Amino acid sequence: MAGPRLEPELARQLFFEGAAVVVLGVPEGTEFGIDYSSWAVGPRFRGVKMIPPGVHFVHCSAGRAGGGRRETGPRTGQFLSLRRREVRLLRWDAASEALGPAPPAPGEAEAEAFRENLQEMDRFLGPYPYETLKKWVSLTSFIGEAVMEQLQPESGQICAFAEVLPVVAGRLSSDRAEPRGAALGAECRSYAEGLARLPRMEPRAGTEIRFTELPTQMFPDGATPEEITRHSMDLSYALEKVIQQRYASQPLDLLAELQFAFICFLIGNVYDAFEHWKRLLNILCRSEDAIGKYQDLYINLISVLYHQLSEIPADFFVDIISQDNFLTSTLQVFFSYTCSAAVDGALRKKAEKFKAHLTKKFKWDFEAEPDDCAPVVVELPEGVQVD
């Protein structure tokens, strides 16, 4: 865990004022990480010291032997909110191959003992990687302890591969007509048919990340065909539904959820979190009326995206089948709204600067005719007819 050497006096101050995460029982060869950095665990490793107070993401991947070289299993992690001088004690669980809190009563006693003997533990603790702190703070600037607790799974563990169970144990999916025996024995005629024969699965209760539920219907019940079309093009109604669920008193906390989802994907390797990030970003970027109402939210959204897009390659969002870049098409609509003369000067100026930055860095073209100019096909609610 070597990094740039700190001045002795600064290192001493950080040692006593910073937090520490002490981990017990982690097998040698396990990949352990905090925030943006990770290392292979050696025989003397007992945790990390000099951690700046705030929200952090501790993660690990169990070591695997295979093919003559050391490999690692799926990543598991958890967000921690650490205070000044706090010592957090975590213990390796061999069954789940994850780090969890020590039992409450003895854990507190052990943590206090480690706190009193932190200097004796010094040679077993690696220093926090301050060379990546600026990047970590930029990616988590809106994530506070309250939002972290709301979003983190009840189990406390964020897993790259979710633990799933069949909706009805021993039953096949109900959306097929074949008898069970025939379905199991018959040869699949297509990939879609094969998927349809699989049992429907859901995450084990308490293990899913508690993201805000995003609406699948973008218009209110009873909407006229004209209203359905309008709400399907301008998603401000859907955005209001999202904000009212959890962030009515502080809309900026919606950006914390966007950052939380991005970290879960980027560092936690959770693909479902990436899908949530895309859907939430799509609603934010396509809400024209909301831009005037939540200008502070959108000014800060640009800052959040600036730091997030600095961490991923330019072609990451390209669909390998359609060659359609989700992000450029979404941001193209966003810029068509925010770079308008009708938008407040501060937001418009920041949007134009961000647009120029992306065009220069990624060579993305935002000047082509937006997809929104094409006819929009929307699903009408049952019972609604157009004469």
Side-chain angles (χ1 to χ4, degrees):
M1 296 181 65
R5 291 186 62 84
L6 298 171
E7 292 295 329
E9 184 57 35
L10 176 59
R12 183 176 182 279
Q13 181 181 351
L14 291 171
F15 179 81
F16 286 105
E17 297 299 317
V21 172
V22 176
V23 296
L24 304 176
V26 180
E28 188 174 349
T30 300
E31 182 183 273
F32 173 88
I34 182 168
D35 300 343
Y36 219 77
S37 300
S38 60
W39 313 268
V41 169
R44 292 159 54 89
F45 179 76
R46 295 294 183 275
V48 180
K49 61 186 177 182
M50 300 160 53
I51 305 172
V55 171
H56 297 278
F57 186 63
V58 173
H59 47 93
C60 59
S61 302
R64 298 271 195 274
R69 59 190 178 89
R70 196 72 176 175
E71 298 178 349
T72 56
R75 179 167 287 182
T76 61
Q78 57 190 295
F79 282 88
L80 303 176
S81 180
L82 300 174
R83 293 172 174 78
R84 174 173 165 265
R85 294 187 174 184
E86 180 178 0
V87 175
R88 186 70 62 93
L89 187 62
L90 303 176
R91 194 183 302 277
W92 177 260
D93 180 70
S96 63
E97 294 188 331
L99 284 168
E108 279 299 316
E110 284 182 280
E112 184 59 37
F114 280 115
R115 188 178 296 111
E116 293 176 356
N117 296 286
L118 201 56
Q119 282 185 289
E120 284 71 22
M121 285 283 296
D122 180 55
R123 64 186 184 278
F124 301 109
L125 302 175
Y128 180 86
Y130 275 82
E131 65 273 17
T132 61
L133 178 61
K134 184 178 179 180
K135 184 181 294 186
W136 174 253
V137 171
S138 298
L139 291 173
T140 59
S141 54
F142 287 94
I143 304 177
E145 183 174 3
V147 176
M148 182 201 80
E149 294 291 349
Q150 283 184 333
L151 296 171
Q152 187 138 268
E154 292 178 6
S155 66
Q157 294 291 338
I158 294 171
C159 304
F161 295 103
E163 185 179 358
V164 294
L165 298 172
V167 175
V168 181
R171 295 282 301 278
L172 293 175
S173 178
S174 59
D175 54 358
R176 306 185 299 279
E178 303 101 322
R180 180 180 178 187
L184 287 172
E187 183 178 345
C188 293
R189 290 165 292 189
S190 68
Y191 178 71
E193 183 181 337
L195 288 178
R197 291 184 182 182
L198 295 174
R200 190 159 62 90
M201 310 293 283
E202 288 185 353
R204 181 186 288 275
T207 63
E208 64 270 30
I209 301 172
R210 292 177 288 179
F211 289 129
T212 303
E213 184 177 352
L214 303 183
T216 54
Q217 177 177 300
M218 302 301 177
F219 45 84
D221 293 334
T224 65
E226 180 184 357
E227 290 170 335
I228 291 171
T229 300
R230 176 163 55 85
H231 288 306
S232 297
M233 295 180 69
D234 178 354
L235 305 186
S236 297
Y237 170 79
L239 179 60
E240 285 290 355
K241 288 190 68 175
V242 173
I243 290 174
Q244 293 307 316
Q245 277 188 66
R246 189 178 274 173
Y247 305 119
S249 62
Q250 183 54 272
L252 279 177
D253 282 346
L254 186 60
L255 299 180
E257 182 163 336
L258 194 71
Q259 289 184 326
F260 192 98
F262 190 80
I263 291 296
C264 287
F265 167 67
L266 183 70
I267 301 179
N269 301 334
V270 181
Y271 183 75
D272 285 347
F274 176 56
E275 289 298 309
H276 183 80
W277 180 86
K278 287 202 304 183
R279 291 182 61 209
L280 181 55
L281 183 61
N282 183 64
I283 292 175
L284 280 163
C285 288
R286 295 177 184 269
S287 297
E288 183 175 13
D289 286 349
I291 289 173
K293 181 178 179 180
Y294 298 108
Q295 289 194 24
D296 193 32
L297 172 69
Y298 281 94
I299 286 174
N300 284 284
L301 171 63
I302 292 173
S303 297
V304 168
L305 288 176
Y306 173 84
H307 293 292
Q308 290 182 342
L309 299 188
S310 298
E311 303 306 312
I312 44 186
D315 62 351
F316 179 82
F317 296 97
V318 177
D319 187 308
I320 60 174
I321 297 174
S322 68
Q323 292 300 300
D324 173 49
N325 187 321
F326 149 79
L327 197 57
T328 53
S329 59
T330 301
L331 288 178
Q332 186 177 40
V333 176
F334 177 64
F335 290 137
S336 73
Y337 296 155
T338 54
C339 295
S340 163
V343 173
D344 175 77
L347 175 57
R348 184 174 70 251
K349 184 177 180 181
K350 190 162 188 176
E352 288 172 346
K353 188 175 180 181
F354 184 46
K355 178 182 175 183
H357 164 76
L358 295 177
T359 300
K360 181 179 179 181
K361 181 173 181 178
F362 297 122
K363 305 297 186 290
W364 289 342
D365 180 15
F366 297 110
E367 301 304 329
E369 184 177 273
D371 291 340
D372 289 50
C373 293
V376 177
V377 179
V378 297
E379 295 291 334
L380 297 180
E382 188 175 346
V384 173
Q385 296 182 343
V386 179
D387 297 327

